[in-house]
Amino acid sequence: MKRRAEFKAVAKGHRASRPCLTLQARQRDCDAFGARVGLTVTKKTGNSVVRSRIKRRFRAACADLADAFEPHTEYVVVARRAAQSAPYAGQIDDLRGALN
């Protein structure tokens, strides 16, 4: 997902919070297959280097858990400040827990 309107639409859906992230999800209206995932990290979490690192790690976590995402659903991962210092395994556990 790339456009702001898509992120705002998903924000109206379901929400699950964990220490490293908040996961927002919404069923898609169209007949397209597969899940769509968007990542967002606010400037409060750190400078651009820190934000990029957090996004890279969450992209990898989403790729590792690709089977856990439901088809016909849009997801937005909102990273929290705790994601900066959390180990990668902790981020995966938080994402898996939010998906369940």
Side-chain angles (χ1 to χ4, degrees):
M1 294 182 355
K2 301 230 183 234
R3 295 186 351 210
R4 178 173 163 77
E6 295 170 336
F7 281 83
K8 287 185 77 167
V10 175
K12 296 176 184 175
H14 299 288
R15 186 178 302 235
S17 295
R18 296 288 183 250
C20 290
L21 61 96
T22 298
L23 183 70
Q24 301 168 343
R26 180 180 79 108
Q27 291 290 328
R28 284 206 280 182
D29 298 331
C30 63
D31 292 332
F33 293 103
R36 295 178 64 194
V37 179
L39 299 169
T40 183
V41 184
T42 65
K43 287 187 176 182
K44 292 179 184 179
T45 52
N47 62 16
S48 63
V49 175
V50 171
R51 293 192 311 266
S52 294
R53 182 172 187 252
I54 291 170
K55 283 191 272 187
R56 277 195 309 272
R57 291 175 74 186
F58 273 119
R59 265 190 226 111
C62 289
D64 288 346
L65 297 175
D67 295 339
F69 291 100
E70 294 181 20
H72 306 291
T73 307
E74 295 176 326
Y75 296 94
V76 173
V77 177
V78 182
R80 292 186 172 179
R81 190 172 292 174
Q84 179 180 353
S85 59
Y88 181 69
Q91 287 182 341
I92 287 184
D93 290 341
D94 281 353
L95 185 57
R96 185 179 293 124
L99 286 169
N100 291 336

Coordinates of all heavy atoms in Angstrom, one line a residue:
M1 N 0.9 -1.2 0.0 CA 0.0 0.0 0.0 C 0.9 1.2 0.0 O 1.9 1.3 0.7 CB -0.9 0.0 1.2 CG -1.9 -1.1 1.2 SD -3.1 -1.3 2.5 CE -2.7 0.0 3.7
K2 N 0.5 2.2 -0.7 CA 1.3 3.4 -0.9 C 0.5 4.7 -0.6 O 1.1 5.7 -0.1 CB 1.9 3.5 -2.3 CG 2.7 2.3 -2.6 CD 4.0 2.7 -3.2 CE 4.8 1.4 -3.5 NZ 6.0 1.4 -2.9
R3 N -0.7 4.8 -0.9 CA -1.5 6.0 -0.8 C -2.1 6.3 0.6 O -2.5 5.3 1.3 CB -2.6 6.1 -1.8 CG -2.0 6.1 -3.3 CD -3.1 6.2 -4.3 NE -4.4 6.2 -3.8 CZ -5.4 5.7 -4.5 NH1 -5.3 5.3 -5.7 NH2 -6.6 5.7 -4.0
R4 N -2.1 7.5 1.0 CA -2.6 7.9 2.3 C -4.1 7.5 2.5 O -4.5 7.0 3.5 CB -2.5 9.4 2.5 CG -3.0 9.9 3.8 CD -2.7 11.4 4.0 NE -3.5 12.0 5.0 CZ -3.3 11.9 6.3 NH1 -2.4 11.1 6.7 NH2 -4.1 12.5 7.1
A5 N -4.9 7.6 1.4 CA -6.3 7.2 1.5 C -6.4 5.7 1.8 O -7.3 5.3 2.6 CB -7.0 7.5 0.2
E6 N -5.5 4.9 1.3 CA -5.6 3.4 1.7 C -5.3 3.2 3.1 O -5.9 2.4 3.8 CB -4.6 2.7 0.8 CG -4.9 2.7 -0.7 CD -3.8 2.1 -1.6 OE1 -2.7 2.1 -1.1 OE2 -4.2 1.7 -2.7
F7 N -4.3 3.9 3.7 CA -3.9 3.8 5.1 C -5.1 4.3 6.0 O -5.4 3.6 7.0 CB -2.6 4.6 5.4 CG -1.4 3.9 5.0 CD1 -0.9 4.0 3.7 CD2 -0.7 3.1 5.9 CE1 0.2 3.3 3.3 CE2 0.5 2.5 5.5 CZ 1.0 2.6 4.2
K8 N -5.7 5.4 5.6 CA -6.8 5.9 6.4 C -8.0 5.0 6.4 O -8.7 4.8 7.4 CB -7.2 7.3 5.9 CG -6.2 8.3 6.2 CD -6.6 9.7 5.8 CE -7.6 10.2 6.9 NZ -7.9 11.6 6.8
A9 N -8.2 4.3 5.3 CA -9.3 3.3 5.2 C -9.1 2.1 6.1 O -10.0 1.7 6.8 CB -9.5 2.9 3.7
V10 N -7.9 1.7 6.2 CA -7.6 0.5 7.0 C -7.7 0.9 8.5 O -8.0 0.1 9.3 CB -6.2 0.0 6.7 CG1 -5.8 -1.1 7.6 CG2 -6.2 -0.6 5.3
A11 N -7.4 2.2 8.8 CA -7.4 2.7 10.2 C -8.8 2.6 10.8 O -9.0 2.5 12.0 CB -6.9 4.1 10.3
K12 N -9.8 2.5 10.0 CA -11.2 2.4 10.4 C -11.6 0.9 10.8 O -12.6 0.7 11.3 CB -12.2 2.9 9.4 CG -12.0 4.4 9.1 CD -12.9 4.8 8.0 CE -12.7 6.3 7.7 NZ -13.5 6.8 6.5
G13 N -10.7 0.0 10.5 CA -11.0 -1.4 10.7 C -10.6 -1.9 12.1 O -10.5 -1.1 13.0
H14 N -10.3 -3.2 12.2 CA -9.9 -3.7 13.5 C -8.5 -3.4 13.9 O -7.7 -3.1 13.0 CB -10.1 -5.3 13.5 CG -11.5 -5.7 13.2 ND1 -12.5 -5.6 14.1 CD2 -12.0 -6.3 12.0 CE1 -13.6 -6.1 13.6 NE2 -13.3 -6.5 12.3
R15 N -8.2 -3.4 15.2 CA -6.9 -3.0 15.7 C -6.5 -3.9 16.8 O -7.3 -4.3 17.7 CB -7.1 -1.6 16.3 CG -5.9 -0.9 16.7 CD -6.2 0.5 17.2 NE -6.9 1.2 16.1 CZ -6.4 2.4 15.6 NH1 -5.4 3.0 16.2 NH2 -7.1 3.0 14.6
A16 N -5.2 -4.3 16.8 CA -4.6 -5.1 17.8 C -3.3 -4.5 18.2 O -2.5 -4.1 17.4 CB -4.3 -6.5 17.3
S17 N -3.1 -4.3 19.5 CA -1.8 -3.6 20.0 C -0.9 -4.6 20.7 O -1.4 -5.5 21.4 CB -2.2 -2.5 21.0 OG -2.9 -1.5 20.3
R18 N 0.3 -4.4 20.5 CA 1.4 -5.2 21.1 C 2.5 -4.2 21.5 O 2.5 -3.1 21.1 CB 2.0 -6.3 20.2 CG 1.0 -7.3 19.8 CD 0.7 -8.3 20.9 NE -0.2 -9.3 20.5 CZ -1.4 -9.4 21.0 NH1 -1.9 -8.5 21.8 NH2 -2.2 -10.4 20.6
P19 N 3.5 -4.6 22.3 CA 4.5 -3.7 22.8 C 5.3 -3.0 21.6 O 5.6 -1.8 21.7 CB 5.5 -4.5 23.6 CG 4.6 -5.6 24.1 CD 3.6 -5.9 23.0
C20 N 5.6 -3.7 20.5 CA 6.4 -3.2 19.4 C 5.5 -2.6 18.3 O 6.1 -1.9 17.5 CB 7.3 -4.3 18.8 SG 8.6 -4.8 19.9
L21 N 4.3 -2.9 18.3 CA 3.5 -2.5 17.1 C 2.0 -2.4 17.4 O 1.5 -3.0 18.4 CB 3.7 -3.4 15.9 CG 3.3 -4.9 16.1 CD1 1.9 -5.1 15.6 CD2 4.3 -5.8 15.5
T22 N 1.3 -1.7 16.5 CA -0.2 -1.8 16.5 C -0.5 -2.3 15.1 O 0.0 -1.7 14.1 CB -0.8 -0.4 16.7 OG1 -0.4 0.1 18.0 CG2 -2.3 -0.4 16.6
L23 N -1.3 -3.3 15.0 CA -1.7 -3.8 13.7 C -3.2 -3.4 13.4 O -4.1 -3.7 14.3 CB -1.6 -5.3 13.7 CG -1.9 -6.0 12.4 CD1 -0.8 -5.7 11.4 CD2 -2.0 -7.5 12.6
Q24 N -3.4 -2.8 12.3 CA -4.7 -2.5 11.8 C -5.1 -3.4 10.7 O -4.2 -3.6 9.8 CB -4.8 -1.0 11.4 CG -4.4 -0.1 12.5 CD -4.2 1.4 12.0 OE1 -4.0 1.6 10.8 NE2 -4.2 2.3 12.9
A25 N -6.3 -3.8 10.6 CA -6.7 -4.7 9.5 C -8.2 -4.4 9.1 O -9.0 -4.0 9.9 CB -6.7 -6.2 10.0
R26 N -8.4 -4.6 7.8 CA -9.7 -4.4 7.2 C -9.9 -5.3 6.0 O -9.0 -5.5 5.2 CB -9.8 -3.0 6.7 CG -11.1 -2.6 6.1 CD -11.1 -1.1 5.7 NE -10.5 -1.0 4.4 CZ -11.1 -0.7 3.3 NH1 -12.4 -0.6 3.2 NH2 -10.4 -0.6 2.2
Q27 N -11.1 -5.9 5.9 CA -11.4 -6.8 4.8 C -11.5 -5.9 3.5 O -12.0 -4.8 3.6 CB -12.7 -7.5 5.0 CG -12.7 -8.5 6.1 CD -11.9 -9.7 5.7 OE1 -11.8 -10.1 4.5 NE2 -11.2 -10.3 6.6
R28 N -11.0 -6.4 2.4 CA -11.1 -5.7 1.2 C -12.4 -5.9 0.5 O -13.0 -7.0 0.6 CB -9.9 -6.1 0.2 CG -8.6 -5.6 0.6 CD -7.7 -5.5 -0.5 NE -7.1 -6.8 -0.8 CZ -6.2 -6.9 -1.8 NH1 -5.9 -5.9 -2.5 NH2 -5.7 -8.1 -2.0
D29 N -12.8 -4.9 -0.3 CA -14.1 -5.0 -1.0 C -14.0 -5.7 -2.3 O -14.9 -6.3 -2.9 CB -14.7 -3.7 -1.2 CG -15.0 -3.0 0.2 OD1 -15.3 -3.7 1.1 OD2 -15.0 -1.8 0.2
C30 N -12.8 -5.6 -2.9 CA -12.6 -6.1 -4.3 C -12.4 -7.7 -4.3 O -12.2 -8.3 -3.2 CB -11.4 -5.4 -5.0 SG -9.9 -5.7 -4.1
D31 N -12.3 -8.2 -5.4 CA -12.1 -9.7 -5.6 C -10.6 -10.1 -5.7 O -10.3 -11.2 -6.1 CB -12.9 -10.2 -6.8 CG -14.4 -10.1 -6.6 OD1 -14.8 -10.1 -5.4 OD2 -15.1 -10.0 -7.6
A32 N -9.7 -9.1 -5.5 CA -8.3 -9.4 -5.6 C -7.8 -10.4 -4.5 O -8.4 -10.5 -3.4 CB -7.5 -8.2 -5.5
F33 N -6.9 -11.3 -4.9 CA -6.4 -12.3 -4.0 C -5.2 -11.8 -3.2 O -4.5 -10.8 -3.6 CB -6.0 -13.6 -4.7 CG -7.2 -14.2 -5.4 CD1 -7.4 -14.1 -6.7 CD2 -8.0 -15.0 -4.6 CE1 -8.5 -14.7 -7.3 CE2 -9.1 -15.6 -5.2 CZ -9.4 -15.5 -6.5
G34 N -4.9 -12.4 -2.1 CA -3.7 -12.0 -1.3 C -4.0 -10.9 -0.4 O -4.9 -10.1 -0.5
A35 N -3.1 -10.8 0.6 CA -3.1 -9.7 1.6 C -2.3 -8.6 1.1 O -1.3 -8.8 0.4 CB -2.7 -10.2 2.9
R36 N -2.6 -7.4 1.5 CA -1.8 -6.2 1.3 C -1.3 -5.6 2.6 O -2.1 -5.6 3.6 CB -2.6 -5.1 0.6 CG -3.0 -5.5 -0.8 CD -3.9 -4.5 -1.5 NE -3.1 -3.3 -1.7 CZ -3.6 -2.1 -2.0 NH1 -4.9 -2.0 -2.1 NH2 -2.8 -1.1 -2.2
V37 N 0.0 -5.3 2.7 CA 0.5 -4.8 3.9 C 1.2 -3.5 3.7 O 1.9 -3.3 2.8 CB 1.6 -5.8 4.5 CG1 2.2 -5.3 5.8 CG2 0.9 -7.2 4.7
G38 N 0.9 -2.6 4.7 CA 1.6 -1.3 4.6 C 2.3 -1.1 6.0 O 1.8 -1.6 7.0
L39 N 3.4 -0.3 6.0 CA 4.2 -0.1 7.2 C 4.2 1.4 7.4 O 4.4 2.2 6.4 CB 5.6 -0.6 7.0 CG 5.7 -2.1 6.8 CD1 7.2 -2.4 6.4 CD2 5.4 -2.9 8.0
T40 N 4.2 1.8 8.6 CA 4.3 3.2 9.0 C 5.1 3.3 10.3 O 4.9 2.6 11.2 CB 3.0 4.0 9.0 OG1 3.2 5.3 9.3 CG2 2.1 3.4 10.1
V41 N 6.0 4.3 10.3 CA 6.8 4.6 11.5 C 6.8 6.1 11.6 O 7.2 6.8 10.7 CB 8.3 4.1 11.3 CG1 9.0 4.3 12.6 CG2 8.3 2.6 11.0
T42 N 6.4 6.6 12.8 CA 6.3 8.1 13.0 C 7.7 8.6 13.3 O 8.6 7.9 13.7 CB 5.3 8.4 14.1 OG1 5.9 7.9 15.3 CG2 4.0 7.8 13.9
K43 N 7.8 9.9 13.1 CA 9.1 10.6 13.4 C 9.4 10.6 14.9 O 10.5 10.8 15.3 CB 9.0 12.0 12.9 CG 9.1 12.1 11.4 CD 9.2 13.6 11.0 CE 9.4 13.7 9.5 NZ 9.6 15.1 9.0
K44 N 8.4 10.3 15.7 CA 8.7 10.2 17.2 C 9.6 9.1 17.5 O 10.2 9.1 18.6 CB 7.4 10.0 17.9 CG 6.4 11.2 17.9 CD 5.2 10.9 18.6 CE 4.2 12.0 18.6 NZ 2.9 11.7 19.3
T45 N 9.7 8.1 16.7 CA 10.5 6.9 17.0 C 12.0 7.2 16.8 O 12.8 6.5 17.4 CB 10.1 5.7 16.1 OG1 10.1 6.1 14.8 CG2 8.8 5.2 16.5
G46 N 12.3 8.1 16.0 CA 13.8 8.4 15.8 C 14.0 9.1 14.4 O 13.1 9.4 13.7
N47 N 15.3 9.2 14.1 CA 15.7 9.9 12.8 C 15.4 8.9 11.7 O 15.0 7.8 11.9 CB 17.1 10.4 12.9 CG 18.1 9.3 13.1 OD1 17.8 8.1 12.9 ND2 19.3 9.6 13.5
S48 N 15.8 9.3 10.5 CA 15.4 8.5 9.3 C 16.2 7.2 9.3 O 15.6 6.2 8.8 CB 15.7 9.3 8.0 OG 17.1 9.6 7.9
V49 N 17.4 7.1 9.8 CA 18.1 5.9 9.8 C 17.4 4.9 10.7 O 17.2 3.7 10.3 CB 19.6 6.2 10.3 CG1 20.3 4.9 10.5 CG2 20.3 7.1 9.4
V50 N 17.0 5.3 11.9 CA 16.2 4.4 12.8 C 14.9 4.0 12.2 O 14.6 2.8 12.3 CB 16.0 5.1 14.2 CG1 15.1 4.3 15.1 CG2 17.4 5.4 14.8
R51 N 14.2 4.9 11.6 CA 12.9 4.5 11.0 C 13.1 3.5 9.9 O 12.3 2.6 9.8 CB 12.2 5.8 10.5 CG 11.7 6.7 11.6 CD 10.8 7.8 11.2 NE 11.2 8.5 10.0 CZ 11.9 9.7 10.0 NH1 12.2 10.2 11.2 NH2 12.2 10.3 8.9
S52 N 14.1 3.7 9.0 CA 14.3 2.8 7.9 C 14.7 1.4 8.4 O 14.3 0.4 7.9 CB 15.4 3.4 7.0 OG 15.0 4.5 6.4
R53 N 15.5 1.4 9.5 CA 15.9 0.1 10.1 C 14.6 -0.7 10.6 O 14.5 -1.9 10.4 CB 16.9 0.3 11.2 CG 17.4 -1.0 11.8 CD 18.5 -0.7 12.7 NE 19.1 -2.0 13.2 CZ 18.9 -2.5 14.4 NH1 18.2 -1.8 15.3 NH2 19.4 -3.6 14.7
I54 N 13.8 0.1 11.3 CA 12.6 -0.6 11.8 C 11.7 -1.1 10.7 O 11.2 -2.2 10.7 CB 11.8 0.4 12.7 CG1 12.6 0.7 14.0 CG2 10.4 -0.1 13.0 CD1 12.0 1.9 14.8
K55 N 11.5 -0.3 9.6 CA 10.7 -0.7 8.5 C 11.3 -2.0 7.8 O 10.6 -2.9 7.4 CB 10.6 0.4 7.4 CG 9.6 1.4 7.9 CD 9.3 2.4 6.8 CE 10.2 3.5 6.8 NZ 9.9 4.6 5.8
R56 N 12.6 -2.0 7.6 CA 13.3 -3.2 7.0 C 13.0 -4.4 7.8 O 12.7 -5.5 7.3 CB 14.8 -2.9 6.9 CG 15.2 -2.1 5.7 CD 16.7 -2.3 5.5 NE 17.5 -2.0 6.6 CZ 18.0 -0.8 7.0 NH1 17.7 0.2 6.3 NH2 18.7 -0.7 8.1
R57 N 13.1 -4.3 9.2 CA 12.9 -5.4 10.0 C 11.5 -5.9 10.0 O 11.2 -7.1 10.0 CB 13.3 -5.1 11.4 CG 14.9 -4.9 11.5 CD 15.3 -4.5 12.9 NE 15.2 -5.6 13.8 CZ 15.4 -5.5 15.1 NH1 15.7 -4.4 15.7 NH2 15.3 -6.6 15.9
F58 N 10.5 -5.0 9.9 CA 9.1 -5.4 9.9 C 8.8 -5.9 8.5 O 8.0 -6.8 8.4 CB 8.2 -4.2 10.2 CG 7.9 -4.1 11.7 CD1 8.3 -3.0 12.4 CD2 7.3 -5.2 12.4 CE1 8.0 -2.9 13.8 CE2 7.1 -5.1 13.7 CZ 7.5 -4.0 14.4
R59 N 9.4 -5.4 7.4 CA 9.2 -6.0 6.1 C 9.7 -7.5 6.1 O 9.0 -8.4 5.6 CB 10.0 -5.3 5.0 CG 9.1 -4.2 4.4 CD 9.9 -3.7 3.1 NE 9.7 -2.2 3.2 CZ 10.6 -1.3 3.4 NH1 11.9 -1.7 3.6 NH2 10.4 -0.1 3.5
A60 N 10.8 -7.7 6.7 CA 11.3 -9.1 6.8 C 10.4 -10.0 7.6 O 10.2 -11.2 7.3 CB 12.8 -9.1 7.3
A61 N 9.9 -9.4 8.7 CA 9.0 -10.2 9.6 C 7.7 -10.5 8.9 O 7.2 -11.6 9.0 CB 8.7 -9.4 10.9
C62 N 7.2 -9.6 8.1 CA 6.0 -9.9 7.3 C 6.3 -10.9 6.2 O 5.4 -11.8 6.0 CB 5.5 -8.6 6.6 SG 4.8 -7.4 7.8
A63 N 7.4 -10.9 5.6 CA 7.8 -12.0 4.7 C 7.9 -13.3 5.3 O 7.5 -14.3 4.8 CB 9.1 -11.6 4.0
D64 N 8.5 -13.4 6.5 CA 8.6 -14.6 7.3 C 7.2 -15.2 7.7 O 7.1 -16.4 7.8 CB 9.4 -14.5 8.5 CG 10.9 -14.3 8.2 OD1 11.3 -14.5 7.0 OD2 11.7 -13.9 9.1
L65 N 6.3 -14.3 7.9 CA 4.9 -14.7 8.4 C 3.9 -14.6 7.3 O 2.7 -14.4 7.5 CB 4.5 -13.9 9.6 CG 5.3 -14.1 10.8 CD1 4.9 -13.1 11.9 CD2 5.3 -15.5 11.4
A66 N 4.3 -14.7 6.0 CA 3.4 -14.4 4.9 C 2.2 -15.4 4.9 O 1.1 -15.0 4.5 CB 4.1 -14.6 3.6
D67 N 2.4 -16.6 5.4 CA 1.3 -17.6 5.5 C 0.2 -17.2 6.5 O -0.9 -17.6 6.5 CB 1.8 -19.0 5.7 CG 2.7 -19.5 4.6 OD1 2.5 -18.9 3.5 OD2 3.5 -20.4 4.9
A68 N 0.6 -16.4 7.5 CA -0.3 -16.0 8.6 C -1.3 -14.9 8.2 O -2.3 -14.8 8.9 CB 0.5 -15.6 9.8
F69 N -1.0 -14.2 7.2 CA -1.9 -13.1 6.7 C -3.1 -13.7 6.0 O -2.9 -14.6 5.1 CB -1.2 -12.1 5.8 CG -0.1 -11.3 6.5 CD1 1.2 -11.6 6.5 CD2 -0.5 -10.2 7.3 CE1 2.1 -10.9 7.1 CE2 0.4 -9.4 7.9 CZ 1.7 -9.8 7.9
E70 N -4.3 -13.2 6.3 CA -5.5 -13.7 5.6 C -5.6 -13.1 4.2 O -5.4 -11.9 4.1 CB -6.7 -13.4 6.4 CG -6.8 -14.1 7.8 CD -8.0 -13.7 8.5 OE1 -9.0 -13.3 7.9 OE2 -8.0 -14.0 9.7
P71 N -6.1 -13.9 3.2 CA -6.3 -13.3 1.9 C -7.5 -12.3 2.0 O -8.3 -12.3 2.9 CB -6.6 -14.5 1.0 CG -7.0 -15.6 1.9 CD -6.4 -15.3 3.3
H72 N -7.6 -11.4 1.0 CA -8.7 -10.4 0.9 C -8.7 -9.4 2.1 O -9.7 -9.0 2.5 CB -10.0 -11.1 0.8 CG -10.2 -12.1 -0.3 ND1 -10.1 -11.7 -1.6 CD2 -10.3 -13.4 -0.3 CE1 -10.3 -12.8 -2.4 NE2 -10.4 -13.8 -1.6
T73 N -7.5 -9.2 2.7 CA -7.4 -8.3 3.8 C -6.2 -7.3 3.6 O -5.2 -7.7 3.1 CB -7.2 -9.1 5.1 OG1 -8.2 -10.2 5.2 CG2 -7.2 -8.3 6.3
E74 N -6.4 -6.1 4.1 CA -5.4 -5.1 4.1 C -4.9 -4.9 5.5 O -5.7 -4.9 6.5 CB -5.9 -3.8 3.6 CG -6.3 -3.8 2.1 CD -6.9 -2.5 1.6 OE1 -7.6 -1.9 2.4 OE2 -6.7 -2.2 0.5
Y75 N -3.6 -4.8 5.7 CA -3.0 -4.7 7.0 C -2.1 -3.4 7.0 O -1.5 -3.1 6.0 CB -2.1 -5.9 7.4 CG -2.9 -7.2 7.5 CD1 -3.0 -8.0 6.5 CD2 -3.5 -7.5 8.7 CE1 -3.7 -9.2 6.6 CE2 -4.2 -8.7 8.9 CZ -4.2 -9.6 7.8 OH -4.9 -10.7 7.9
V76 N -2.1 -2.7 8.2 CA -1.1 -1.7 8.4 C -0.4 -1.9 9.7 O -1.1 -2.1 10.7 CB -1.8 -0.3 8.4 CG1 -0.8 0.8 8.8 CG2 -2.4 0.1 7.1
V77 N 0.9 -2.0 9.6 CA 1.7 -2.2 10.8 C 2.2 -0.8 11.2 O 3.0 -0.1 10.5 CB 2.9 -3.1 10.5 CG1 3.8 -3.2 11.7 CG2 2.4 -4.5 10.1
V78 N 1.8 -0.4 12.4 CA 2.3 0.9 12.9 C 3.3 0.6 14.0 O 3.0 0.1 15.1 CB 1.1 1.7 13.6 CG1 1.6 3.1 14.1 CG2 0.0 1.9 12.5
A79 N 4.6 0.9 13.7 CA 5.7 0.6 14.6 C 5.7 1.5 15.8 O 5.4 2.7 15.7 CB 7.0 0.7 13.9
R80 N 6.0 1.0 17.0 CA 6.2 1.8 18.2 C 7.6 2.0 18.5 O 8.5 1.3 17.9 CB 5.4 1.1 19.3 CG 4.0 1.1 19.2 CD 3.3 0.5 20.4 NE 1.9 0.7 20.3 CZ 1.1 0.3 21.2 NH1 1.5 -0.3 22.3 NH2 -0.2 0.4 21.1
R81 N 7.9 2.9 19.5 CA 9.3 3.2 19.8 C 10.0 1.9 20.4 O 11.2 1.8 20.2 CB 9.3 4.3 20.9 CG 10.6 4.8 21.2 CD 10.5 6.0 22.1 NE 9.9 7.1 21.3 CZ 9.6 8.3 21.8 NH1 9.8 8.5 23.1 NH2 9.0 9.2 21.1
A82 N 9.3 1.0 21.0 CA 9.9 -0.2 21.6 C 10.5 -1.1 20.5 O 11.3 -1.9 20.7 CB 8.8 -1.0 22.4
A83 N 10.0 -1.0 19.2 CA 10.5 -1.8 18.1 C 12.0 -1.5 17.8 O 12.7 -2.3 17.3 CB 9.7 -1.5 16.9
Q84 N 12.4 -0.3 18.2 CA 13.8 0.1 18.0 C 14.8 -0.7 18.7 O 15.8 -1.1 18.2 CB 14.0 1.6 18.4 CG 15.4 2.1 18.2 CD 15.4 3.6 18.6 OE1 14.4 4.2 18.9 NE2 16.6 4.2 18.6
S85 N 14.5 -1.1 20.0 CA 15.4 -1.8 20.8 C 15.0 -3.3 21.0 O 15.8 -4.1 21.6 CB 15.5 -1.2 22.2 OG 14.2 -1.2 22.8
A86 N 13.9 -3.7 20.4 CA 13.4 -5.1 20.5 C 14.2 -6.0 19.6 O 14.6 -5.6 18.5 CB 12.0 -5.2 20.2
P87 N 14.5 -7.2 20.1 CA 15.2 -8.2 19.2 C 14.2 -8.6 18.0 O 13.0 -8.5 18.1 CB 15.5 -9.4 20.1 CG 14.5 -9.3 21.2 CD 14.2 -7.8 21.4
Y88 N 14.8 -9.1 17.0 CA 14.0 -9.5 15.8 C 13.0 -10.6 16.2 O 11.8 -10.5 15.7 CB 14.9 -10.0 14.7 CG 14.2 -10.4 13.4 CD1 13.5 -9.4 12.6 CD2 14.1 -11.7 13.0 CE1 12.9 -9.8 11.5 CE2 13.4 -12.1 11.9 CZ 12.8 -11.1 11.1 OH 12.1 -11.5 10.0
A89 N 13.4 -11.5 17.0 CA 12.4 -12.6 17.4 C 11.3 -12.0 18.2 O 10.1 -12.5 18.1 CB 13.2 -13.6 18.3
G90 N 11.5 -10.9 19.0 CA 10.4 -10.3 19.7 C 9.4 -9.6 18.8 O 8.2 -9.6 19.0
Q91 N 10.0 -9.0 17.7 CA 9.1 -8.4 16.7 C 8.2 -9.4 16.0 O 7.1 -9.2 15.8 CB 9.9 -7.6 15.7 CG 10.5 -6.3 16.2 CD 11.3 -5.5 15.2 OE1 11.7 -6.1 14.2 NE2 11.5 -4.3 15.5
I92 N 8.8 -10.5 15.7 CA 8.0 -11.6 15.0 C 6.9 -12.1 15.9 O 5.8 -12.3 15.5 CB 9.0 -12.7 14.5 CG1 9.7 -12.2 13.3 CG2 8.2 -14.0 14.2 CD1 10.6 -13.3 12.7
D93 N 7.3 -12.3 17.2 CA 6.3 -12.8 18.2 C 5.2 -11.8 18.3 O 4.0 -12.2 18.4 CB 7.0 -13.0 19.5 CG 7.9 -14.2 19.5 OD1 7.7 -15.1 18.6 OD2 8.7 -14.3 20.4
D94 N 5.5 -10.5 18.4 CA 4.4 -9.5 18.5 C 3.6 -9.4 17.3 O 2.3 -9.3 17.4 CB 5.1 -8.1 18.7 CG 5.5 -7.8 20.1 OD1 5.2 -8.7 21.0 OD2 6.1 -6.8 20.4
L95 N 4.2 -9.6 16.1 CA 3.4 -9.6 14.9 C 2.5 -10.8 14.8 O 1.3 -10.7 14.4 CB 4.3 -9.5 13.6 CG 3.6 -9.4 12.3 CD1 2.7 -8.2 12.2 CD2 4.7 -9.3 11.2
R96 N 3.0 -12.0 15.2 CA 2.2 -13.2 15.2 C 1.1 -13.1 16.1 O 0.0 -13.5 15.9 CB 3.1 -14.4 15.5 CG 2.4 -15.7 15.4 CD 3.3 -16.9 15.7 NE 4.3 -17.0 14.7 CZ 5.7 -17.0 15.0 NH1 6.1 -16.9 16.2 NH2 6.5 -17.2 14.0
G97 N 1.3 -12.5 17.3 CA 0.3 -12.4 18.3 C -0.8 -11.4 17.9 O -2.0 -11.7 18.1
A98 N -0.4 -10.4 17.2 CA -1.4 -9.4 16.7 C -2.2 -10.0 15.6 O -3.4 -9.7 15.5 CB -0.7 -8.1 16.2
L99 N -1.6 -10.9 14.8 CA -2.4 -11.5 13.7 C -3.4 -12.5 14.2 O -4.4 -12.7 13.6 CB -1.4 -12.2 12.7 CG -0.6 -11.3 11.8 CD1 0.5 -12.1 11.1 CD2 -1.6 -10.6 10.8
N100 N -3.1 -13.1 15.3 CA -4.1 -14.1 15.9 C -5.1 -13.3 16.6 O -6.3 -13.6 16.7 CB -3.3 -15.0 16.9 CG -2.4 -15.9 16.1 OD1 -2.6 -16.2 14.9 ND2 -1.4 -16.4 16.8

